[in-house]
Amino acid sequence: MSLALVGLGLVGKLNEEGIEILEKGDEIYCELYTSFLPSGALRRLEQRFGNIIMLERSDVESDF
C-alpha cells in the first residue's frame, strides 16, 4: 500500500504523471479545503477515474 499526493497546480490541470497515478489508484480522495476545483471538474474527474471520496476539513485534520 502506498500514498500518492496529486495536486492540480497553479493552472488547475493534472500533468501526465498525476494522471498515471490516479489511473493506478485503488481509492481516490479529494479535499477542497486547501484547493479549488473549477465548475464541473469533479464530475469530469469521476467520469475518467471512477468514484472519488470527498473529504471535509475535519477529515484532513484528523487522525483517521
Side-chain angles (χ1 to χ4, degrees):
M1 177 195 288
S2 64
L3 171 68
L5 303 175
V6 177
L8 295 177
L10 296 175
V11 295
K13 296 191 181 215
L14 290 169
N15 62 20
E16 186 174 324
E17 182 180 7
I19 291 169
E20 290 175 9
I21 289 169
L22 291 176
E23 288 175 337
K24 294 177 184 177
D26 294 324
E27 294 180 341
I28 300 173
Y29 295 88
C30 179
E31 65 82 17
L32 298 176
Y33 170 67
T34 60
S35 61
F36 170 78
L37 282 179
S39 178
L42 183 59
R43 180 177 36 81
R44 289 190 301 274
L45 289 171
E46 286 185 316
Q47 288 172 342
R48 180 161 186 175
F49 302 111
N51 184 49
I52 296 176
I53 302 163
M54 297 301 299
L55 299 176
E56 301 292 330
R57 178 180 180 180
S58 60
D59 299 319
V60 175
E61 295 178 347
S62 73
D63 294 330
F64 83 96

